[in-house]
Structure formats: C-alpha cells, structure tokens
Amino acid sequence: MHRSPVLLSLLTLLTLLLSAVSWRPWPHLRANTTDLAFGDNKKFEGSSEFVHLKYHMGPVLTADITVHTIWYGTWQRRQKKIIREFINSISAADSKPPSVAGWWKTVQLYTDQTGHNISRSVRLGAEKNDRFYSHGKALTRLSIQSVIKSAVSATTRPLPTNPQGGLYLLLTSDDVTVQDFCGQVCGFHYFTFPSIVGYTLPYAWVGNSAKQCPGICAYPFAVPEYMPGLKPLKSPNGDVGVEGMISVIAHEIAELASNPLVNAWYAGQDPTAPVEIADLCEGIYGTGGGGSYTGQLMDDHDGATYNMNGIRRRAYILVSVPAIIRVGDAIEDVLKVMR
C-alpha cells in the first residue's frame, strides 16, 4: 500500500522524539543519599527525592506475557541459548536466590487502575529468523517496525499477533547498525504503528554492541577507551556482547511491562521524554552503587561477576528496579537493590 510522504514524515518525527524510551547502561552520576532497610535481607537505595514515579492511568501488562523474538542477522547457537535461558529465567520459581525471578517480583509490584499487578508469567514464545537481513544492515527506527511487520505477516510461520500479552523483541547481530545505536542508545521500546505493521504491538529493540561500542553498551563487561584505569568485569556467560544485551533486554522488558503504551508508569511531565522504572537505577547493579561504581556484586569460582542467578546455573548482571511502597493513599518509590 502506498503511503504519502507527509504521513511518513510525521511518523519519522514522532520516532525521533522517543529517545527517552531508550537506554544505555553507562552509570549515572547521581549519588545515593537515602538508605532504607526493609526486612532482614533487603536493601533499598533511595531516589524518591530526585524523581517520583507516577501512574498515568494507562495499561500495564497484566495478562501472561509471551516474548516473541526476531533474530535479525547472523547469530550463533550459543548466543541464542544464553538469551533464551535468560527469558525463561524470569518466571523460574526454583532458581537459586538472588534470582532473575526475584528481580521480576519487584516489577510485578506495579498495577493498573483496577489494581491488577503486572503478570508473574513471562515465557518465550515464537521466534523468527531473519538471517538474510531483509531490510539491510543499516536500520532506522521506522525500518525496525518494518522488520516486525515482515515477521508477523510472513507467508511461512508468521509470528502471532497478540496485543494484550504479546511482547515483540527484535535483536540485531553485531554487524547491524541502528539509528542512534552506541551514540545515544543501546536499546529502546515503543509500540508499533498500525499504518506500518497493521497492529499496535509493544516491542523492544536491542543490539549486539560487541563490534561497535562494547565499552558503552556492554558495561561493566567492557569499559570505554577513554577510561583506561577502569577494568572490565569478567562475563559469566563468556560473551561480552550478549552479556550487555541481557542487561538491556531486562531493562526494556521491565519498562514494556510497566509502560507498554507510554502512558502508565513513568516520572516527568512529558510522555515523549519519560523517566521509566529502570531508568531510575541506571548503572546500579548492587548495594551502594552509584557514579562509576556498580555496587556490591558476586563472583563465581571462575572469577566471573554477576548479581542474579538464572536457570541451568546461568548467572547475569541486571540493573536494579525501583519498588513502590504504599503508605496510606500515597505511593513512595525507592530503589530496591537485590542482594
């Protein structure tokens, strides 16, 4: 179907305004100034004096969440396995604490206007391989939506379209460039435009930065060249690029669940520039984190660093997310750092 240049120009302008629903893991420079302890094993690092999260009456993902993945470009089997097992760890109740599933319980605290919480269930859904780079090796924000359209409208094994519980995750290999990648973002989320895809679907894009900017998007497993005194941490899964992706994927899934249409949980007055739940903890991976310090983390017997356990003895580093504490009719937000 032919689309007018005016419509495409408007869509391009809108997508360019959405850099705030994007993320890069380089740590922020804010100091933590509040230290609240809740229970024996929980540590909370305060941020509420900087930013207050507010609910803006939009939906959150309360139905069972199914993550449909698009593998764009060239991927190794072991890379796919690391990412699949991370997604399957989100709802794995039997993982050793501190666990990915325990981290997700904090995300579950967020509710919609009817009081229903974000779903506990997150599972891996259908997958689509786009190994021949159907839209080229240089993608824009709009062409990312075209990749999703190709996946849901394919003549063979199209991805199912489920606007309620479906979440669409587009992952680009290390030889694919994406608009604003490395310079401004490592990943972002939004929803698809019916004029392009045919449906309104929440989606996220995350790129493999291994060959382009590992010091920016795979921190703390790689560090920027202009900081030679800072040593990178050892990756628990043996792939720095994918390790960085895991952290960004976790960030984007948490924000998609709590703000899928960019009208639910965020701070700030401008919905095109929201501060979302994982943005508040940027660069904080453990107790005491802030500035260029990641916080207290754990090391395994091989010297690899992690803060969360997954299934099948997997380990990962995930950004902390803020918990919300209800005091009467008020909502106080604090940064929960999992131990």
Side-chain angles (χ1 to χ4, degrees):
M1 179 177 68
H2 175 72
R3 298 184 181 89
S4 71
V6 174
L7 174 58
L8 290 179
S9 296
L10 289 173
L11 291 178
T12 302
L13 177 60
L14 180 57
T15 55
L16 289 175
L17 291 173
L18 297 174
S19 59
V21 287
S22 313
W23 185 65
R24 51 188 292 179
W26 184 248
H28 59 71
L29 299 178
R30 294 194 305 244
N32 297 309
T33 60
T34 306
D35 190 5
L36 303 175
F38 290 81
D40 295 331
N41 300 312
K42 297 178 181 179
K43 187 82 167 183
F44 290 79
E45 311 268 7
S47 74
S48 56
E49 61 198 69
F50 295 106
V51 175
H52 281 283
L53 287 173
K54 292 183 179 179
Y55 178 55
H56 298 265
M57 305 305 289
V60 301
L61 298 185
T62 58
D64 290 352
I65 300 170
T66 303
V67 181
H68 302 299
T69 309
I70 303 170
W71 303 96
Y72 192 88
T74 304
W75 291 89
Q76 300 174 20
R77 285 187 178 181
R78 63 178 184 83
Q79 293 178 317
K80 290 184 176 182
K81 186 176 181 181
I82 295 170
I83 293 173
R84 286 175 181 141
E85 292 186 350
F86 166 70
I87 294 172
N88 285 329
S89 295
I90 295 176
S91 295
D94 57 348
S95 298
K96 178 183 176 182
S99 67
V100 176
W103 170 86
W104 186 255
K105 286 181 179 179
T106 306
V107 179
Q108 284 182 255
L109 293 173
Y110 293 86
T111 63
D112 63 13
Q113 58 185 305
T114 67
H116 288 88
N117 291 84
I118 289 173
S119 176
R120 183 192 71 83
S121 175
V122 180
R123 70 179 184 88
L124 188 64
E127 300 181 42
K128 195 71 177 175
N129 292 302
D130 196 333
R131 61 178 63 90
F132 298 114
Y133 308 88
S134 63
H135 293 264
K137 289 189 175 183
L139 301 178
T140 66
R141 289 176 180 261
L142 280 181
S143 63
I144 280 175
Q145 296 210 14
S146 296
V147 173
I148 296 172
K149 178 186 178 180
S150 296
V152 300
S153 62
T155 55
T156 58
R157 297 185 179 181
L159 292 184
T161 52
N162 180 2
Q164 291 188 338
L167 185 159
Y168 298 80
L169 183 62
L170 174 59
L171 305 176
T172 51
S173 57
D174 58 14
D175 57 345
V176 177
T177 62
V178 176
Q179 180 182 355
D180 298 327
F181 188 26
C182 296
Q184 297 182 28
V185 301
C186 302
F188 63 79
H189 76 88
Y190 202 54
F191 53 85
T192 61
F193 302 134
S195 58
I196 296 178
V197 180
Y199 307 89
T200 300
L201 305 171
Y203 76 92
W205 157 77
V206 180
N208 187 333
S209 65
K211 294 181 179 179
Q212 300 179 55
C213 57
I216 300 299
C217 293
Y219 175 88
F221 300 108
V223 296
E225 295 180 356
Y226 56 81
M227 299 186 71
L230 188 63
K231 294 183 178 180
L233 302 181
K234 183 178 179 180
S235 162
N237 296 294
D239 191 306
V240 169
V242 171
E243 208 76 64
M245 291 184 74
I246 294 293
S247 183
V248 183
I249 289 169
H251 181 114
E252 299 301 339
I253 289 179
E255 294 185 342
L256 268 173
S258 58
N259 197 28
L261 300 181
V262 200
N263 61 356
W265 286 97
Y266 64 87
Q269 301 301 315
D270 185 358
T272 66
V275 177
E276 298 175 281
I277 68 171
D279 297 325
L280 289 171
C281 310
E282 184 178 345
I284 299 177
Y285 303 96
T287 299
S292 61
Y293 176 52
T294 59
Q296 296 178 15
L297 303 174
M298 296 175 285
D299 295 325
D300 65 15
H301 63 281
D302 292 324
T305 303
Y306 68 101
N307 67 353
M308 298 291 162
N309 292 294
I311 62 173
R312 299 177 183 175
R313 298 184 179 180
R314 289 286 185 190
Y316 308 98
I317 283 188
L318 307 185
V319 67
S320 300
V321 292
I324 54 173
I325 307 298
R326 293 187 179 274
V327 182
D329 293 329
I331 296 177
E332 297 292 335
D333 58 284
V334 293
L335 301 188
K336 181 180 181 182
V337 178
M338 306 292 294
R339 276 184 165 176

